[in-house]
Amino acid sequence: MILKLILKETLTYGGEFYITSFVMSEHLFPYFGLEKNKSLAKQFTAYASSMLFAVAIFESLFPNFPPLKFFVLYTIYILWTGANEFLSIQEDQLIKFAFFASVPIIFTPILIHCLINWLIPGMKI
């Protein structure tokens, strides 16, 4: 059961990292006037996803503690502050960038998790 959990979490959050960094580099950066930069997108995705990774670790330690899910919303704040400091997004576009960047970061792990459960029913824990 532990091996299933490790495999599922690795696929989920590893896939989230690469899919989100691709979406940011190819779609979000040009939309907000930045040049396509895969390295910068990977760095920013790792920075912005850090709360998701921490919540996943604590959920495995405390599986019956639902308030941990609310800490995922802190990702939006991380994106909002990081976009200004890390990417130099203009002040008037910070909220829009935080919203558009938070959608793939928060929902990609959910979609990958559902896809794994659908494609490999034996992975349900």
Side-chain angles (χ1 to χ4, degrees):
M1 191 162 88
I2 298 290
L3 186 58
K4 283 183 184 181
L5 180 65
I6 290 171
L7 183 62
K8 185 184 250 184
E9 295 297 318
T10 303
L11 287 173
T12 299
Y13 290 103
E16 179 268 335
F17 173 74
Y18 285 106
I19 291 170
T20 303
S21 63
F22 175 79
V23 167
M24 280 199 186
S25 174
E26 297 297 319
H27 300 289
L28 283 178
F29 284 4
Y31 183 76
F32 288 97
L34 301 171
E35 63 183 52
K36 294 180 182 181
N37 188 341
K38 291 182 183 181
S39 176
L40 183 63
K42 286 180 182 178
Q43 290 174 8
F44 188 69
T45 302
Y47 164 74
S49 300
S50 61
M51 183 54 74
L52 289 176
F53 302 148
V55 168
I57 290 169
F58 283 109
E59 277 185 334
S60 66
L61 296 173
F62 307 107
N64 297 324
F65 192 62
L68 281 173
K69 292 282 188 195
F70 291 113
F71 287 107
V72 171
L73 296 176
Y74 188 68
T75 303
I76 298 168
Y77 178 73
I78 291 173
L79 284 165
W80 181 57
T81 57
N84 190 14
E85 299 294 324
F86 200 81
L87 298 175
S88 301
I89 299 288
Q90 298 171 0
E91 291 285 329
D92 59 335
Q93 294 185 334
L94 281 176
I95 294 174
K96 190 191 305 185
F97 180 82
F99 174 74
F100 284 131
S102 66
V103 169
I105 288 177
I106 293 173
F107 291 112
T108 302
I110 296 168
L111 292 173
I112 293 174
H113 185 79
C114 292
L115 186 66
I116 290 171
N117 285 339
W118 180 64
L119 290 175
I120 312 169
M123 291 296 285
K124 290 183 182 177
I125 296 176

